[in-house]
Amino acid sequence: VQLQASGGGLVQAGGSRRLSCVGSGRTFSVYTMGWFRQAPEKEREFVAAFSWNGINTYYADSVKGRFTISRDNAKDTVYLQMNSLKAEDTAVYYCAASVGSMATTEGRYQYWGQGTQVTVSS
């Protein structure tokens, strides 16, 4: 599956932003979908995931209560709604697809989008 992420940009602290990731090429609904991010000079880290069966979601502690992952299989799209943004949320955000059950580590994801930059100004 090919993934295309979009929606990044510059946002003020406390503001909101919604990222989208559109999949193509394979049946989108069979994949667990995840969002990761990488801040400058830091390792890429897990943000959120939505299981293939549409039942389970999982969030990193740092975003819990502020970010919401959702998916629309009819549109082959996964979203990341980000609220109450902080300067430390500044990063390149990547969407990824995993064949199988819920996954929170990079190695479990086989397909990656190109990343979209989110910059939060304080």
Side-chain angles (χ1 to χ4, degrees):
V1 62
Q2 291 81 44
L3 302 172
Q4 180 74 36
S6 63
L10 178 65
V11 61
Q12 289 189 332
S16 298
R17 198 84 180 180
R18 189 177 79 158
L19 305 182
S20 301
C21 176
V22 180
S24 62
R26 296 287 297 272
T27 304
F28 186 79
S29 60
V30 305
Y31 296 101
T32 285
M33 298 301 298
W35 286 96
F36 289 75
R37 67 185 182 186
Q38 186 168 20
E41 301 181 359
K42 291 189 175 181
E43 298 287 319
R44 189 156 57 183
E45 64 176 3
F46 169 79
V47 175
F50 203 130
S51 63
W52 69 272
N53 58 9
I55 295 175
N56 301 310
T57 57
Y58 196 83
Y59 297 92
D61 288 343
S62 58
V63 306
K64 202 172 294 182
R66 301 188 298 122
F67 289 13
T68 301
I69 188 172
S70 61
R71 65 190 297 166
D72 185 342
N73 289 339
K75 296 182 179 180
D76 292 343
T77 302
V78 62
Y79 304 96
L80 185 68
Q81 177 66 44
M82 306 184 293
N83 298 330
S84 301
L85 282 161
K86 306 174 182 179
E88 51 263 43
D89 295 318
T90 296
V92 177
Y93 283 73
Y94 299 88
C95 62
S98 173
V99 177
S101 58
M102 178 61 73
T104 62
T105 56
E106 282 191 58
R108 294 280 305 278
Y109 286 82
Q110 295 81 33
Y111 306 98
W112 292 82
Q114 84 290 1
T116 185
Q117 175 73 47
V118 174
T119 302
V120 183
S121 62
S122 55

